Amino acid sequence: MTNSRQVIFIFSLISIFVATYNLTLTSGLLHHFREVWHLEPATLSLINAAPLLGMAGGGLVLGLLSDRVGRVTILQWNWLIILLSSAAALVLYSPSTIIGARILLGIGLGSDFAIVFPYIVELGNTSRMVIAVLGLGDVGQWLAYAIDALSRHLHWYRMPFALSLLWGIPLALWRHQLPESRVWQQQRVTSYTQWARSLITPSTRTHIIQTGVPWALHQISGQGLALFLPSILLKVMATTVHWGSSIIKLLVLPAFIVALQIVPLIGPVKWQIIGFCLRALSFVAAVVTLLVHGSPWLTIVMLTSALFWGSAGPDKTTVLIPALLFGPRIHTSGQGMAELMGRLGSLVGVLIFGSLAITGHTVTALSGFALTDFLGAVVSLSLLTTQFPTVFIRRQKLHTSSLSQD
């Protein structure tokens, strides 16, 4: 790997680690917030949903802008949003400040998700690199669970926010070493008119739906379960709530290794369909055990299975596929549009199904998750006949010259 590739790969690892940590860092603190600030379930859901609101807008707007002004221009400045919002949440510790700061934080994180993965692809890396970066994101989520549990044990509830600020410092420093994408430099659109025309072609609109809808359907259950896992465990078995989420996520961490091995062999689309189905079946099994008043441990095993197949499958492929599908002229624009749909799905999962989870309607929430995952598998079938400009299969590398030009 060349020096430029090393810089981009390490930066990408740090970016997605920071993003997933920040997305998850309030999930284990909701019970504390409810007791201390006497918050309603809707407000608690909004605290978890706040960065997703920002990511929806940030990913779209800054992803679109990246195709006009460059990848590095956006990535070298959005760190200010991340650091300032993290500092505000830590220092001005209150419900309204946390919600506002986390919306702002989401704008910065959303642009990373929209730009980083096309950036990796344009570098010429394999799909394994994209999956590895997303795998470190799983570590960020696990660490958020663990830090939340530790902060409750120590009664230092600002600890997760302090570490959020700390993680952002190396991210800010590393951004100034980023080289601009040669693919973007060579094939960038030369006018806003040309760029707009590339965005509204029939094939582009079709690709946005084909990638954005599965991303949204996955995120309903993905973020709905991930951000409310401590609350769901509290309803299933109260004794598991403190460290249960971090233990379950630790068991799920190896899931990305499965994706690393299978995606290059059968392709991301087939694996996405399989992952959706296995995840949906896990949710169905969890619902059945709850309805028949089976062992709480069996329910927890099924939830762990759902997390595993989500992490191994659509959690990786819904991000990877648009990064492979859109050509260089609209690479981050297409990724940002697909991400927008994904984040809207996240908001549904958090604000609707998450509210059901924290108010005790666990069976209804898990049934909804199963349904959306089955729908995700059905919608993903349309991608089987889609012609990719370049697809990583059988450990091939992506050659930048083979990317399609829209």
Side-chain angles (χ1 to χ4, degrees):
M1 190 183 292
T2 64
N3 289 337
S4 293
R5 291 186 179 187
Q6 288 176 347
V7 167
I8 295 170
F9 182 54
I10 294 173
F11 163 77
S12 301
L13 288 171
I14 298 172
S15 294
I16 303 308
F17 168 84
V18 170
T20 52
Y21 173 85
N22 278 296
L23 276 174
T24 315
L25 73 83
T26 59
S27 62
L29 302 177
L30 296 184
H31 186 65
H32 166 71
F33 293 156
R34 180 165 53 187
E35 288 185 338
V36 174
W37 290 325
H38 308 291
L39 301 179
E40 297 296 325
T43 306
L44 295 172
S45 295
L46 185 57
I47 289 175
N48 267 355
L52 299 172
L53 287 166
M55 290 182 79
L60 176 63
V61 175
L62 296 179
L64 290 168
L65 191 59
S66 169
D67 278 328
R68 286 293 295 125
V69 303
R71 317 305 184 217
V72 172
T73 301
I74 303 298
L75 293 175
Q76 284 187 339
W77 288 102
N78 71 350
W79 64 271
L80 278 172
I81 301 173
I82 295 172
L83 280 185
L84 291 174
S85 57
S86 298
L90 173 64
V91 177
L92 306 173
Y93 189 70
S94 70
S96 58
T97 302
I98 288 175
I99 291 171
R102 284 172 62 74
I103 291 174
L104 183 62
L105 173 71
I107 294 174
L109 302 181
S111 62
D112 276 356
F113 265 89
I115 298 170
V116 161
F117 299 105
Y119 192 31
I120 295 174
V121 168
E122 291 173 357
L123 181 66
N125 276 320
T126 65
S127 59
R128 290 174 179 264
M129 292 294 187
V130 176
I131 295 169
V133 170
L134 289 164
L136 193 65
D138 289 338
V139 176
Q141 189 177 80
W142 168 79
L143 187 62
Y145 287 142
I147 295 299
D148 282 354
L150 181 61
S151 68
R152 293 195 305 272
H153 179 73
L154 298 176
H155 301 290
W156 184 22
Y157 298 102
R158 297 196 192 196
M159 179 190 296
F161 296 96
L163 290 176
S164 172
L165 183 60
L166 180 64
W167 305 145
I169 294 173
L171 184 63
L173 296 175
W174 203 269
R175 289 172 188 258
H176 295 287
Q177 302 181 47
L178 294 175
E180 186 54 87
S181 165
R182 289 185 179 180
V183 172
W184 174 79
Q185 290 175 325
Q186 294 169 359
Q187 303 187 44
R188 62 181 294 189
V189 290
T190 56
S191 70
Y192 281 101
T193 301
Q194 186 183 33
W195 171 62
R197 286 174 179 171
S198 298
L199 288 173
I200 61 174
T201 63
S203 62
T204 298
R205 293 197 300 268
T206 300
H207 292 340
I208 290 169
I209 294 172
Q210 287 177 316
T211 57
V213 172
W215 195 338
L217 290 168
H218 165 63
Q219 288 295 306
I220 289 174
S221 63
Q223 294 298 334
L225 179 60
L227 296 184
F228 290 94
L229 182 60
S231 300
I232 292 173
L233 291 180
L234 182 62
K235 304 298 181 183
V236 174
M237 183 184 292
T239 56
T240 65
V241 71
H242 292 298
W243 294 97
S245 300
S246 55
I247 292 171
I248 288 174
K249 190 62 184 182
L250 185 63
L251 295 174
V252 170
L253 284 181
F256 87 94
I257 298 175
V258 175
L260 278 174
Q261 300 303 315
I262 294 181
V263 168
L265 294 176
I266 70 173
V269 174
K270 290 181 180 178
W271 184 235
Q272 177 165 295
I273 295 168
I274 294 170
F276 267 127
C277 290
L278 292 172
R279 183 176 174 86
L281 291 172
S282 299
F283 280 126
V284 169
V287 168
V288 170
T289 58
L290 286 172
L291 289 175
V292 301
H293 303 290
S295 169
W297 288 110
L298 184 57
T299 303
I300 291 172
V301 168
M302 291 301 102
L303 292 176
T304 303
S305 175
L307 282 168
F308 183 91
W309 293 119
S311 180
D315 186 63
K316 306 297 181 288
T317 56
T318 52
V319 178
L320 172 61
I321 289 172
L324 300 177
L325 186 56
F326 293 102
R329 291 184 176 181
I330 56 165
H331 210 175
T332 57
S333 298
Q335 188 85 11
M337 290 179 179
E339 183 190 350
L340 170 64
M341 298 179 71
R343 298 309 165 196
L344 293 177
S346 301
L347 291 170
V348 172
V350 173
L351 294 176
I352 297 178
F353 291 100
S355 295
L356 290 171
I358 61 178
T359 54
H361 299 86
T362 307
V363 169
T364 304
L366 297 182
S367 299
F369 293 160
L371 177 61
T372 55
D373 280 323
F374 275 128
L375 289 174
V378 172
V379 175
S380 297
L381 291 172
S382 68
L383 286 164
L384 288 173
T385 57
T386 299
Q387 295 297 314
F388 282 74
T390 305
V391 179
F392 297 131
I393 55 174
R394 303 190 184 281
R395 303 181 183 183
Q396 291 179 345
K397 275 201 171 185
L398 173 69
H399 299 290
T400 55
S401 60
S402 67
L403 283 168
S404 71
Q405 298 185 34
D406 295 292

